[in-house]
Amino acid sequence: MDQTQTRILELLNTRDERGLSMLSGHSGRLLTSLARRILGSQCDAEECVNDVLLEVWNTIPPKSPGSVSSYACVLTRRTAIDRLRRNTADKRGGGEYCASLE
């Protein structure tokens, strides 16, 4: 693990918000690009990355990944796929409306 990754992990473990800023600066473009390829939308990708940063904040500690960037990439992929499934899911009723029978 390089020095930047180690420093980010140290900051996150001490609950210092600068760790999120460093992670965003270090891996933000990669995470956004990954989410955009899955979701097809820049806006959705940015929301996805924000959700991932929140999840990183909430899970470190107790988790201590070997690479914070790799961990964030895995979370980004999972979050983007979940969002894509939610966005493309058929709504209840399959788009049909009930007709009143009078």
Side-chain angles (χ1 to χ4, degrees):
M1 185 166 28
D2 68 355
Q3 289 180 340
T4 304
Q5 296 275 333
T6 304
R7 181 69 179 140
I8 291 170
L9 194 55
E10 287 172 0
L11 289 170
L12 291 173
N13 279 318
T14 60
R15 308 303 288 166
D16 190 333
E17 292 179 15
R18 291 178 294 167
L20 287 180
S21 296
M22 284 183 69
L23 178 60
S24 181
H26 185 262
S27 303
R29 289 181 61 205
L30 172 65
L31 301 177
T32 303
S33 174
L34 175 61
R36 188 177 52 243
R37 279 182 284 178
I38 294 170
L39 296 168
S41 164
Q42 181 68 25
C43 183
D44 285 343
E46 290 171 1
E47 286 182 28
C48 179
V49 171
N50 287 334
D51 291 345
V52 167
L53 291 175
L54 177 62
E55 190 166 355
V56 166
W57 178 257
N58 289 332
T59 58
I60 299 177
K63 292 189 178 183
S64 184
S67 169
V68 180
S69 293
S70 295
Y71 179 65
C73 283
V74 169
L75 293 177
T76 300
R77 182 179 179 275
R78 187 187 74 207
T79 303
I81 289 171
D82 288 347
R83 183 180 294 264
L84 180 65
R85 285 181 182 148
R86 193 172 50 246
N87 289 348
T88 59
D90 287 335
K91 303 299 177 198
R92 290 186 182 151
E96 298 175 10
Y97 295 97
C98 295
S100 71
L101 302 173
E102 291 182 2

